[in-house]
């Protein structure tokens, strides 16, 4: 489960790099899982699908729909590789709207 403002193709391209370059094996939770499977010699297949689409955070809003949806899906899927600590993380997309960053 993940979010990306730039879209799926950009996110997928980044993941492919982490799957094929051992120096990036710890960059994401998914790449850690893929490299663990590779090291164990376990065959695997990754399938991708869009769970839900949402609007990006708009300045002045009280909450980020991206983060809300991600938190919901992490909560509903306890077997996810996403960590529960992500539930308390602040929306990284709202930072650009802070007065100190304008």
């Amino acid at each position: 489960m993940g979010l990306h403002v730039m879209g799926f193709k950009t996110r997928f391209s980044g993941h492919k790099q982490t799957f094929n370059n051992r120096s990036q094996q710890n960059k994401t939770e998914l790449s850690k899982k893929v490299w663990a499977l590779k090291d164990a010699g376990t065959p695997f297949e990754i399938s991708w699908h869009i769970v839900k689409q949402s609007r990006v955070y708009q300045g002045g809003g009280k909450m980020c729909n991206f983060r809300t949806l991600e938190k919901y899906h992490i909560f509903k899927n306890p077997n996810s590789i996403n960590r529960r600590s992500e539930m308390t993380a602040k929306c990284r997309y709202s930072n650009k709207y802070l007065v100190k960053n304008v």
Side-chain angles (χ1 to χ4, degrees):
M1 173 70 52
L3 310 169
H4 201 284
V5 173
M6 301 301 287
F8 174 76
K9 287 182 182 180
T10 304
R11 185 169 177 87
F12 178 66
S13 176
H15 276 302
K16 283 195 313 185
Q17 288 178 8
T18 65
F19 300 159
N20 296 319
N21 187 346
R22 181 156 307 263
S23 67
Q24 295 184 4
Q25 72 183 22
N26 293 318
K27 196 168 184 177
T28 67
E29 290 301 312
L30 182 56
S31 62
K32 289 176 192 176
K33 183 71 171 175
V34 166
W35 281 101
L37 291 170
K38 284 183 176 187
D39 290 343
T42 306
F44 65 92
E45 183 177 315
I46 298 175
S47 62
W48 305 87
H49 64 277
I50 296 172
V51 175
K52 186 82 172 173
Q53 291 185 323
S54 176
R55 292 179 182 246
V56 68
Y57 177 82
Q58 299 294 318
K62 294 188 184 233
M63 66 180 187
C64 175
N65 288 337
F66 269 0
R67 292 296 299 161
T68 304
L69 282 170
E70 183 178 38
K71 290 175 184 181
Y72 170 78
H73 287 287
I74 291 171
F75 180 76
K76 293 295 278 182
N77 185 2
N79 298 323
S80 171
I81 62 172
N82 293 81
R83 296 173 298 203
R84 291 283 181 167
S85 61
E86 294 178 43
M87 300 275 290
T88 59
K90 187 176 184 288
C91 173
R92 62 183 163 262
Y93 304 114
S94 64
N95 289 337
K96 70 179 178 180
Y97 293 101
L98 294 175
V99 173
K100 70 178 183 179
N101 295 330
V102 176

